[in-house]
Amino acid sequence: MGRFLKLLLTITILVSLLLVSQQVFAQQWRPVRGGILFGISGMAMIQQQKNSLDLLIVHDNKEKDQGRLAIVTIKGKNQPQYLPLQWPNNTDLPRDLEGITSVPGSYNPFFMALSSSGKIYHIKLDNSQKNISVLKIFNLPNIPDRSNFEGFALQEIDAKLLAVWAHRGESEEAAIIYWGILNPATYQITKTGSVNLKVPWPTSNVRHISDLKIDGAGILFITSATDPGNDGPFESAVYVAGAFEVSGNAIGFRQNPELVPLYRYDYHKIEAIELVPGAGGGVIVGTDDENMGSSLYIGGSG
């Protein structure tokens, strides 16, 4: 019951943010880069300081000489700074990166990025030198045929490393949320459950899950988006999909039976979400607006 009350409290707080005027919403969109090669398909926080925030973002590019990773820095009310990162020459280029998560409990900045085919890249970032190294490449467990993954998240709950990932679904086909326990020493994910999910909005050309993140209480946030083509028009929403609870080796998931759009966005295709704690944080979303490039929005900021 405690987890369920936390879920209800979180929903109540976030729904209150919908009272922010549309004028303020429009002021908060911050362009990152223009053009189809710079869409943000996933992001994870590197570090948060008093007046700045560094994010590691992934691009879903597929060809050689197209970017895969970049650091985006937000300082105060300024426009984001974009710094591309080179993929290591000793590792094959990933194809279609669709999600990234920080690795909880790491002193150094470690991340895991997921491709749409289910391949995971364990990455170490040297933030001072602005370069990365790939420590390990491994796969999601028991990948069903025709899977198209968007979203991968890790969260430490009750001393267990919970892993959650999703097949995006499309229109009448439901998304599928999967979860399990990751053993970081062996890179083995033991899948323990899955559920189907359809969102009520957007309603056409919808990808029911375009990204996801888990907070420290086990609450699962998802984004959904339309994809009518490279020129839009796009629509997106943010939802609380439910909450996880870990007990021993068992993981329970209480799915939200009535999905409420916490945020609704016209004209943007959101494919990335990150949860930033503290007074200067919020729910941050990033877009892959195809020919129109990418933008960031910090929910709740003035």
Side-chain angles (χ1 to χ4, degrees), residues 25-296:
F25 269 44
Q27 292 173 352
Q28 292 172 345
W29 282 108
R30 305 186 190 194
V32 176
R33 276 292 184 272
I36 198 168
L37 298 181
F38 295 97
I40 300 173
S41 56
M43 64 182 172
M45 184 173 69
I46 301 171
Q47 63 180 358
Q48 181 186 24
Q49 298 178 335
K50 182 177 180 181
N51 198 38
S52 69
L53 177 67
D54 291 335
L55 298 165
L56 183 61
I57 68 169
V58 295
H59 301 304
D60 61 358
N61 293 323
K62 304 172 182 64
E63 305 300 330
K64 186 179 179 181
D65 300 326
Q66 296 176 350
R68 265 49 174 192
L69 292 167
I71 295 173
V72 173
T73 300
I74 303 171
K75 293 184 178 180
K77 302 297 182 181
N78 297 327
Q79 291 302 315
Q81 301 171 6
Y82 176 91
L83 177 68
L85 299 176
Q86 294 298 315
W87 192 261
N89 292 328
N90 61 351
T91 306
D92 290 340
L93 278 172
R95 180 180 173 84
D96 200 23
L97 291 176
E98 291 289 355
I100 189 167
T101 180
S102 58
V103 179
S106 301
Y107 176 76
N108 293 311
F110 290 96
F111 303 88
M112 289 189 181
L114 176 70
S115 73
S116 60
S117 65
K119 195 177 295 292
I120 299 173
Y121 298 82
H122 187 196
I123 296 167
K124 179 181 179 182
L125 171 68
D126 185 335
N127 202 26
S128 62
Q129 299 296 319
K130 307 302 182 187
N131 60 42
I132 64 162
S133 54
V134 177
L135 306 179
K136 182 73 174 180
I137 303 173
F138 62 108
N139 293 311
L140 290 172
N142 308 317
I143 298 174
D145 292 339
R146 298 186 297 277
S147 292
N148 197 325
F149 297 109
E150 293 204 18
F152 181 64
L154 299 173
Q155 183 61 261
E156 190 172 38
I157 300 178
D158 295 338
K160 296 289 192 301
L161 194 53
L162 172 66
V164 181
W165 62 101
H167 165 68
R168 72 188 188 191
E170 189 168 1
S171 297
E172 292 305 312
E173 178 196 5
I176 306 174
I177 301 169
Y178 300 93
W179 63 88
I181 298 294
L182 170 64
N183 183 334
T186 63
Y187 292 99
Q188 295 296 312
I189 298 176
T190 303
K191 190 186 83 171
T192 58
S194 66
V195 294
N196 292 352
L197 180 142
K198 285 185 177 181
V199 297
W201 190 88
T203 57
S204 62
N205 300 303
V206 61
R207 295 178 178 178
H208 295 283
I209 295 181
S210 59
D211 199 16
L212 54 82
K213 284 293 187 296
I214 320 158
D215 74 5
I219 296 170
L220 177 65
F221 293 76
I222 65 168
T223 58
S224 307
T226 57
D227 187 19
N230 291 342
D231 295 314
F234 304 115
E235 295 173 323
S236 301
V238 177
Y239 294 90
V240 167
F244 291 97
E245 185 169 11
V246 178
S247 178
N249 290 322
I251 306 172
F253 180 65
R254 186 189 294 270
Q255 188 169 0
N256 190 345
E258 295 184 0
L259 292 172
V260 176
L262 303 178
Y263 299 97
R264 300 165 66 109
Y265 305 94
D266 293 323
Y267 315 118
H268 290 284
K269 185 175 71 162
I270 293 171
E271 289 204 3
I273 184 171
E274 181 59 301
L275 310 174
V276 178
V283 178
I284 301 182
V285 293
T287 71
D288 181 357
D289 291 330
E290 303 297 345
N291 286 334
M292 291 171 280
S294 57
S295 298
L296 290 173

